Amino acid sequence: MYTNQLLAEPKKSTYDVIIIGGAMLGSSVAWFLAKNADFDGSILVIEKDPSYEFTSTSHTNSCMRQQFSAEINIKISQFGANFVKNFQEYMGGDERVPQIPFHQYGYMYLADNPIFAQTLKEAQIIQEKCGAGTKHMSVDQIENDYPFYMLDDIIAANHNLIDEGYFDGNTIFDWWKRSAKENGVEYVNNEVVSIEKNSTGNYVETITLKSGEKINAGQVVNATGPRASLTARMLGIQLPVEPRKRYTFIFDAEKPLDRDLPLTIDPSGVHMRSEGQYYLAGCPPDVDPAVEYDDFTQDHNIWQEKVWPILANRIPQFESIKLLNSWAGHYAFNTLDQNAIVGPHSYVKNFLFVNGFSGHGFQQSPAMGRGIAEMITYGEYRTLDLSPFGFARIENNEPFIEKAVI
């Protein structure tokens, strides 16, 4: 029977898989693992805050795009889009499971210089080869489709109306948790305070909880979001992931646009899109350091001095707008290359990463959960090869190249 209440202590002293962190990525791994007919082990998910109030999951803007420059990132999002559109089918046809809203107004990347315009053109060719619907647009084409933009400084754009836009990721998250629990996954409200290896240091043997229990582990998954480096540090592993603030603003327009606003990536770094009857904008701060794990304080000057002027410049109708809500969330920011770190550690083989998504976590969570479940069950990836995101590149200081990072 499903219950939303979490126990504080595990029921057993040994688990085949322990997942540290029960938000979007941790629950994706748990669900894909529990539904895999070839996996018959026990799964424990440890979540320190079952309200998820301060997780990246709770502060996400929940968007999907095919517009990446690396083929593997495109394919990851294509699977994510397929998963969203066929969610009930993936959930076994469960009639309780709702259809997921997916508003496909696309991403609009605006280029204000020849170098970036060429980058967009090259990316469009790669995306098209992968089956994405991205179009490289001239200024006249942009103006014809979206006459509300001010385009005096723009020379080209990329836009895709197929499988790109906003989706209701929180409903997916809720059903992953619910279904995982119904299939025997145990969630506990607790915190890992230490991880112990064997005498040779190549295998995790136990984890110790804040409540004092020492639990034997077959395999351990680090799914602790912006806190991933703290978890890795318990094993003496240095992970280049840190929390960085990202700001989100919901606003109303006195003169609403006559059509959906694509998720527009302005050359300034501010992005904006439709949000139901309202609009959403977001950005990083101009100075973007790592912050404390519990620092969600907003800098309200960012709206007044940066975001609003940029919105009004790009879309003159946004000169008269009213801020309705705002918040600061944390990216789990990979300082090496702003891409995921996924798969087993090179030496501690039963310690696996699903970290460092740098803002891509929601849209990539279906493919990543499936991939980690495959690695745990079979010792290899069987659908998408996620090895380019492996830990070896961290050790070798070899960044994964992805040009389309927001």
Side-chain angles (χ1 to χ4, degrees):
M1 181 178 177
Y2 173 74
T3 174
N4 211 24
Q5 298 297 315
L6 300 190
L7 298 174
E9 300 173 2
K11 296 178 181 177
K12 302 190 296 184
S13 60
T14 299
Y15 291 85
D16 294 294
V17 177
I18 295 176
I19 301 170
I20 308 174
M24 192 66 164
L25 272 303
S27 288
S28 175
V29 173
W31 181 79
F32 274 98
L33 202 51
K35 74 175 283 290
N36 189 325
D38 293 330
F39 178 82
D40 61 359
S42 55
I43 306 168
L44 176 68
V45 178
I46 303 165
E47 173 53 51
K48 69 190 295 288
D49 178 15
S51 75
Y52 301 98
E53 180 181 3
F54 298 111
T55 62
S56 297
T57 294
S58 294
H59 295 108
T60 180
N61 291 340
S62 198
C63 288
M64 180 85 66
R65 62 182 165 110
Q66 317 296 304
Q67 293 191 60
F68 290 93
S69 66
E71 184 175 320
I72 183 60
N73 273 331
I74 298 168
K75 290 181 176 180
I76 286 168
S77 284
Q78 287 174 330
F79 174 67
N82 182 271
F83 191 89
V84 169
K85 292 190 296 183
N86 299 283
F87 184 56
Q88 191 177 71
E89 181 181 339
Y90 277 104
M91 298 298 287
D94 189 335
E95 294 182 354
R96 299 172 302 168
V97 176
Q99 296 297 322
I100 302 298
F102 190 1
H103 304 290
Q104 300 181 47
Y105 39 62
Y107 277 60
M108 176 76 78
Y109 280 83
L110 298 175
D112 64 350
N113 64 78
I115 294 175
F116 188 49
Q118 182 62 29
T119 298
L120 290 180
K121 192 170 185 178
E122 293 169 358
Q124 185 273 333
I125 293 170
I126 295 169
Q127 292 155 19
E128 187 174 53
K129 287 180 179 177
C130 291
T134 311
K135 303 298 183 185
H136 189 67
M137 303 176 72
S138 68
V139 172
D140 287 344
Q141 289 171 321
I142 304 167
E143 186 172 18
N144 182 68
D145 290 352
Y146 299 98
F148 48 70
Y149 288 125
M150 190 286 294
L151 298 170
D152 292 352
D153 59 333
I154 301 302
I155 61 174
N158 275 7
H159 188 217
N160 177 14
L161 286 168
I162 302 171
D163 293 345
E164 286 199 352
Y166 165 82
F167 69 101
D168 181 7
N170 281 304
T171 295
I172 294 175
F173 172 45
D174 289 341
W175 275 98
W176 273 344
K177 287 185 297 178
R178 178 173 186 151
S179 180
K181 291 176 186 178
E182 290 177 347
N183 283 286
V185 176
E186 188 178 333
Y187 278 68
V188 295
N189 175 16
N190 216 310
E191 184 176 352
V192 175
V193 294
S194 68
I195 305 174
E196 296 80 33
K197 293 181 286 188
N198 61 2
S199 58
T200 57
N202 67 344
Y203 195 87
V204 174
E205 288 191 332
T206 61
I207 60 120
T208 301
L209 299 179
K210 190 174 183 179
S211 53
E213 294 86 356
K214 190 178 289 288
I215 311 297
N216 298 303
Q219 300 196 65
V220 177
V221 179
N222 181 357
T224 49
R227 296 175 180 265
S229 63
L230 297 181
T231 304
R233 208 173 297 157
M234 295 179 191
L235 289 168
I237 297 169
Q238 298 302 310
L239 197 65
V241 176
E242 61 189 31
R244 294 200 184 182
K245 281 186 186 178
R246 293 296 179 268
Y247 291 86
T248 300
F249 307 92
I250 307 296
F251 63 94
D252 194 7
E254 184 177 291
K255 298 178 181 179
L257 305 178
D258 64 354
R259 63 202 74 187
D260 282 337
L261 172 62
L263 199 158
T264 304
I265 313 300
D266 190 81
S268 65
V270 171
H271 63 267
M272 61 198 84
R273 65 168 172 86
S274 290
E275 172 77 356
Q277 70 184 88
Y278 303 119
Y279 301 93
L280 178 149
C283 67
D286 290 333
V287 179
D288 189 23
V291 297
E292 295 298 325
Y293 294 100
D294 58 354
D295 178 9
F296 295 90
T297 305
Q298 296 185 58
D299 179 352
H300 296 285
N301 290 328
I302 289 178
W303 167 258
Q304 193 71 29
E305 298 177 5
K306 177 181 179 179
V307 176
W308 188 1
I310 289 170
L311 296 176
N313 176 69
R314 185 59 58 205
I315 300 176
Q317 281 177 244
F318 285 170
E319 180 66 38
S320 297
I321 57 179
K322 179 182 179 181
L323 182 63
L324 302 176
N325 192 17
S326 63
W327 62 85
H330 287 173
Y331 269 11
F333 192 91
N334 176 357
T335 60
L336 178 67
D337 57 23
Q338 297 179 60
N339 278 272
I341 304 167
V342 177
H345 187 262
S346 52
Y347 185 68
V348 188
K349 297 293 188 181
N350 68 333
F351 186 73
L352 293 93
F353 304 96
V354 60
N355 304 122
F357 288 87
S358 306
H360 305 149
F362 251 47
Q363 64 181 301
Q364 295 190 333
S365 59
M368 295 301 181
R370 181 182 64 174
I372 292 295
E374 291 169 351
M375 181 60 69
I376 290 171
T377 305
Y378 307 113
E380 63 180 3
Y381 299 119
R382 291 199 167 181
T383 48
L384 291 175
D385 180 9
L386 302 179
S387 59
F389 300 107
F391 187 78
R393 82 181 197 279
I394 307 300
E395 292 179 307
N396 298 329
N397 195 33
E398 297 175 347
F400 177 88
I401 303 302
E402 172 55 66
K403 297 177 182 178
V405 173
I406 299 173

